[in-house]
Amino acid sequence: MFTENPLLRGGPIFFCICYLWFSTNDVNVRVKIIMGGIACILGVLISVFCQSHVPIHVRPVYDNRLGLVNILKWNQDSTDKRIYSFPSDTATLYFALVTIVFLQSRKMGLLSFLWAVLTVGVCRVAVGVHYPSDILAGMILGTTLVLVLSTIAGLTKWLSKRILRYDPGQKYLNIFFVFLCLEAYSLFPGLSQIFYFFIQLLKGGHAG
């Protein structure tokens, strides 16, 4: 349940994100959260692309040498049928979200980190969905992207000024935040489909 149930796995972390967002009207704080969200999108796209095009190793449940018979039977009903698992897109997303929380609140960030380690790290390794290296790579990727994008002071200030100029009540910014959370909760399925649609178009163009 902790491995696959989105509410149990992501609920506490998304609650922290929403609390930090709605507990302030400071546009600078909200822009940093948005930049972190964009980093999440980029990280998930990179990790899913690597899983599909850089076959480092198959998921433990698909490696017959490991003999994970019971776990493999449990995993047959999973909607995730990707064979390769490096790096973990789930770990990339959730540890990126944890980094967003940590940059705004150290205590909430630490609690979110421990929760992510348990649900995304330990549990997903225990049931054979990922190797520890998949989780570690996803953690590094997600954390690094958030730190890079959300701490660029010049970009943050520029966006904050633009938002205050064209959206002083931050109405549209709030709408975008809700959209970002809904997409992130399911690992950006809509954005991932659009991404792969354009990838296929590029492949078709090169083939022609």
Side-chain angles (χ1 to χ4, degrees):
M1 289 182 66
F2 283 101
T3 301
E4 292 297 324
N5 188 291
L7 182 60
L8 291 175
R9 184 179 64 198
I13 298 176
F14 277 92
F15 172 81
C16 292
I17 294 283
C18 292
Y19 173 80
L20 291 171
W21 179 275
F22 291 107
S23 64
T24 182
N25 288 320
D26 189 341
V27 68
N28 294 306
V29 171
R30 289 182 167 181
V31 165
K32 289 180 180 178
I33 294 176
I34 289 293
M35 293 302 297
I38 294 173
C40 289
I41 296 173
L42 182 60
V44 169
L45 292 178
I46 291 174
S47 58
V48 171
F49 181 85
C50 289
Q51 288 177 13
S52 303
H53 296 82
V54 186
I56 294 179
H57 54 234
V58 299
R59 294 183 184 275
V61 294
Y62 295 132
D63 190 340
N64 295 329
R65 297 172 300 176
L66 298 179
L68 303 178
V69 179
N70 293 330
I71 298 178
L72 178 58
K73 183 178 179 181
W74 171 87
N75 196 58
Q76 285 175 347
D77 295 330
S78 174
T79 57
D80 191 350
K81 299 301 182 183
R82 278 169 294 176
I83 297 177
Y84 301 103
S85 62
F86 184 91
S88 167
D89 53 324
T90 305
T92 300
L93 171 63
Y94 279 89
F95 284 104
L97 292 172
V98 166
T99 306
I100 295 173
V101 175
F102 187 80
L103 289 175
Q104 304 303 323
S105 172
R106 299 293 186 267
K107 291 182 179 179
M108 294 177 69
L110 180 59
L111 292 175
S112 297
F113 174 78
L114 294 175
W115 185 258
V117 168
L118 172 64
T119 58
V120 177
V122 175
C123 289
R124 290 181 74 80
V125 171
V127 298
V129 180
H130 284 290
Y131 290 102
S133 58
D134 302 337
I135 303 299
L136 181 60
M139 180 191 302
I140 294 173
L141 176 61
T143 300
T144 301
L145 288 172
V146 171
L147 289 176
V148 170
L149 287 185
S150 62
T151 56
I152 301 177
L155 181 58
T156 301
K157 291 180 180 179
W158 182 82
L159 284 174
S160 298
K161 290 180 180 178
R162 285 291 183 273
I163 290 170
L164 290 177
R165 180 178 178 182
Y166 296 105
D167 185 23
Q170 301 182 46
K171 174 183 176 181
Y172 298 107
L173 188 64
N174 285 327
I175 293 174
F176 182 70
F177 172 74
V178 171
F179 159 77
L180 203 60
C181 284
L182 292 175
E183 275 287 291
Y185 211 89
S186 298
L187 292 172
F188 302 105
L191 293 173
S192 295
Q193 289 179 14
I194 294 172
F195 173 74
Y196 278 109
F197 172 76
F198 283 108
I199 289 294
Q200 293 302 319
L201 281 181
L202 290 174
K203 286 183 178 180
H206 289 310

